Amino acid sequence: MFTVERKETVTEHRLMRLAVVSIVAATIAAATARATTLDTLIATQGTIIEGNLVFSNFGTSASTDPATVEVAAFTATGGDVGLRFSAIPAGSQFAQSTDRGGTRELVVDVTFTVAVNGSLRLIHGVKQSLDPNTVASGNGIVRNLTTTLFGPPDVSLFSCVQGLAFPGSGCPSPVDSKVLNANASTLNVDREIQLIVGQKGGSSTTGSTSLGFFEITFTEPAVNHRRHAVGRH
């Protein structure tokens, strides 16, 4: 009888521990997934930590309203770490359109620093992406850009989604990812989208563009062997 009661007590304790662990894990996951507005990050000099990377020194240009941009870190399948920039409020779109002609433009520009968090891994590559539901119709184009600031390693990524009536010969071959010439511990990044409609010279004066979010991710090599060797001596 005593043995049975003891087993039940142990089982109850295990279940309680599992429940506590589950609650803690859910709380940590929620904190990791929580998004922050760009204006808050700028005003508070906020920092975001995800995996091995630290994102800081957030800024923007005069053409962007930081209160309309939500910033969230994520870890992609395969382990790449990045940032997603989404329109506010949730479920809304970055959008620009015209039905009367005349060029209109919406620029969403985010600058930041990304650095490794003191581990053996360094930044090996950069990749940009757009919401797969991005729309550019008529005389409209969405330009997708990433550059690094203040010197090497240099990164310049560009792609676009273009409506059939936008002037020109169409979007060039996309360059949405790059492996760095040398692995880096820190990068200063400018991530930007441009939504342009009603450009002169198009076959139509009307156009529309929209997307819900855009992203940037960073790849890392398995190990920074140079640091590993130094650490063992």
Side-chain angles (χ1 to χ4, degrees), residues 149-210:
L149 308 172
F150 315 129
D154 296 319
V155 174
S156 182
L157 307 180
F158 177 83
S159 60
C160 64
V161 179
Q162 181 174 314
L164 295 177
F166 195 82
S169 57
C171 291
S173 298
V175 180
D176 282 327
S177 63
K178 180 178 180 179
V179 174
L180 302 181
N181 294 331
N183 294 338
S185 60
T186 303
L187 291 176
N188 295 294
V189 181
D190 187 348
R191 183 71 176 95
E192 181 179 354
I193 57 169
Q194 301 170 355
L195 287 69
I196 305 170
V197 296
Q199 190 83 9
K200 291 182 178 180
S203 59
S204 171
T205 58
T206 63
S208 64
T209 55
S210 65

Side-chain angles (χ1 to χ4, degrees), residues 49-110:
I49 299 175
E50 179 77 8
N52 182 49
L53 298 181
V54 180
F55 301 93
S56 61
N57 298 325
F58 287 91
T60 189
S61 62
S63 57
T64 300
D65 180 359
T68 65
V69 183
E70 184 177 76
V71 183
F74 66 93
T75 299
T77 302
D80 292 351
V81 173
L83 294 176
R84 172 177 286 194
F85 308 99
S86 303
I88 297 175
S92 63
Q93 303 271 302
F94 298 116
Q96 186 61 273
S97 64
T98 180
D99 58 3
R100 301 178 181 178
T103 303
R104 295 182 181 181
E105 182 177 18
L106 172 67
V107 174
V108 185
D109 184 21
V110 184

